[in-house]
Amino acid sequence: MEAVKATAAWVASRSSHVTLDSSGIENFAERIKDSIPKVEWNFEGTHYFDNGPLTVQYLLVLDALNFCFWPDDELNYDHLAVGLKEALQNDSSAFDADRLQKYTGLELRKMLKWPRPLPLEDERVRLLHEVGFELEKSFDGKAENLVKACDKSAVKLVELITSHFPGFRDHSVYKGHQIFLYKRAQIFVADLWGAFKGQGYGELKDIESVTMFADYIVPAVLQQLGVLRYSPSLSDIIESNREITSGTEEEIELRACTIHAVEEIKESIQKKTGNQVLSAELDLWLWAYGIACPSLQHHRTLSIYY
């Protein structure tokens, strides 16, 4: 994930709408350095887990659809995770590759027990079809074969996902340079590692290479904690709940600066304690912190990469 780290740092060094506060980074690192909060992957029992290949299939489907909940004030990640879990518990063939290619928006809604159209529903259906098609074409229909092909490397697994599944190719262009963010591809890797506790399908020898997952919750948390600073114009957009278009400088800076900020926090903690911190662990805690703050104002962007 060096391309993600390097291009995020490049954006952060040129950013005008979002900046890193060095004292805020140091203060936060000092605050958590001796007792980094641990959040269990399945801390609320929301996910399907059977310690086998069906869990891997579930996670790939989950992370293919894990984006953009905010346009519907009542919809959240748990609806997706629990809905897919229950679908699989009711029918173990629900995520077979051939069936993934045939789902409609209405069928997806029924699966999630959602009474109205989902945000970016057509895109969600398209991505289900894409996952089913490519699994059938290249991996004998099974996500476990995708994971086995990575030879226990998180970096290689991200490369496999982004090369085979276009919907996971989270790229942007910023001031003429290509920027790599790879939120959902890396979440799949981290979900595997977290679900299987670093064993079996989750044994990934270079999990420390994974960065945080640039969404719309964690930037808001880091801003509240004094790690990120927003320009007055960006603050006004966010506070007034106006949409920030995907691919704009503001949107890319929010995500890239968040990635770089977490890398800086990790480095500071390591210097203070000598202990290595995983981005995936920090991200999970920051995300859980943000979800627990109903008053948190986040930026709004309609995109399959959120």
Side-chain angles (χ1 to χ4, degrees):
M1 262 60 76
E2 288 306 311
V4 177
K5 295 175 186 177
T7 57
W10 192 88
V11 172
S13 70
R14 292 158 176 80
S15 176
S16 57
H17 303 284
V18 184
T19 55
L20 277 65
D21 186 309
S22 56
S23 62
I25 289 170
E26 289 301 309
N27 290 339
F28 180 62
E30 182 67 29
R31 169 182 160 185
I32 67 170
K33 67 181 175 66
D34 296 320
S35 57
I36 297 169
K38 297 291 184 182
V39 180
E40 288 292 324
W41 170 77
N42 198 28
F43 63 97
E44 291 181 334
T46 54
H47 299 93
Y48 178 87
F49 184 75
D50 68 352
N51 203 35
L54 204 52
T55 295
V56 183
Q57 198 89 354
Y58 164 82
L59 291 176
L60 186 61
V61 173
L62 172 67
D63 291 326
L65 302 178
N66 180 10
F67 58 87
C68 203
F69 301 100
W70 67 262
D72 191 322
D73 290 338
E74 296 179 7
L75 183 68
N76 59 46
Y77 172 79
D78 286 357
H79 290 111
L80 177 66
V82 172
L84 296 178
K85 171 186 174 181
E86 292 179 351
L88 205 51
Q89 288 173 332
N90 293 331
D91 180 359
S92 62
S93 68
F95 300 153
D96 284 2
D98 60 334
R99 293 186 62 183
L100 289 175
Q101 297 174 64
K102 299 172 184 174
Y103 280 116
T104 65
L106 182 59
E107 288 171 332
L108 179 57
R109 275 182 248 164
K110 288 181 178 178
M111 186 185 298
L112 302 182
K113 298 177 182 176
W114 200 245
R116 52 188 174 270
L118 296 157
L120 298 180
E121 183 172 281
D122 289 346
E123 285 294 282
R124 285 185 155 90
V125 171
R126 182 182 68 80
L127 292 172
L128 277 181
H129 295 176
E130 176 185 286
V131 167
F133 175 80
E134 189 59 29
L135 282 179
E136 188 171 67
K137 174 187 173 187
S138 302
F139 301 101
D140 196 28
K142 301 181 184 301
E144 67 169 316
N145 291 334
L146 165 68
V147 174
K148 288 176 180 177
C150 81
D151 299 321
K152 300 180 180 180
S153 167
V155 171
K156 187 173 179 181
L157 185 51
V158 169
E159 291 173 352
L160 283 167
I161 294 167
T162 54
S163 64
H164 281 277
F165 303 95
F168 283 87
R169 292 175 194 161
D170 190 0
H171 298 180
S172 292
V173 176
Y174 178 82
K175 297 184 177 179
H177 284 70
Q178 191 167 25
I179 309 301
F180 302 92
L181 300 166
Y182 290 157
K183 174 206 162 188
R184 291 189 291 109
Q186 292 196 88
I187 285 183
F188 175 67
V189 170
D191 278 348
L192 271 177
W193 174 77
F196 291 93
K197 299 186 183 301
Q199 303 296 317
Y201 293 111
E203 184 181 353
L204 298 163
K205 58 192 176 186
D206 52 355
I207 188 63
E208 72 280 356
S209 300
V210 171
T211 71
M212 64 77 60
F213 322 121
D215 66 352
Y216 51 89
I217 297 294
V218 177
V221 172
L222 293 181
Q223 192 263 346
Q224 187 179 87
L225 294 172
V227 171
L228 294 180
R229 303 288 181 189
Y230 296 166
S231 68
S233 61
L234 179 57
S235 293
D236 181 62
I237 292 170
I238 294 172
E239 289 168 8
S240 61
N241 289 326
R242 282 181 280 153
E243 184 180 340
I244 298 175
T245 303
S246 178
T248 59
E249 287 194 0
E250 291 92 339
E251 186 259 345
I252 296 169
E253 288 178 11
L254 279 161
R255 301 182 73 204
C257 288
T258 299
I259 292 171
H260 190 56
V262 170
E263 292 301 310
E264 292 285 295
I265 291 166
K266 283 172 51 183
E267 184 176 338
S268 178
I269 292 172
Q270 188 160 4
K271 286 180 180 178
K272 293 174 185 293
T273 67
N275 298 324
Q276 185 180 58
V277 183
L278 296 180
S279 295
E281 293 178 320
L282 266 178
D283 180 276
L284 186 57
W285 179 78
L286 289 165
W287 182 82
Y289 179 100
I291 292 297
C293 295
S295 61
L296 192 74
Q297 274 197 294
H298 60 76
H299 71 282
R300 294 169 176 261
T301 297
L302 279 171
S303 169
I304 66 170
Y305 301 120
Y306 278 78

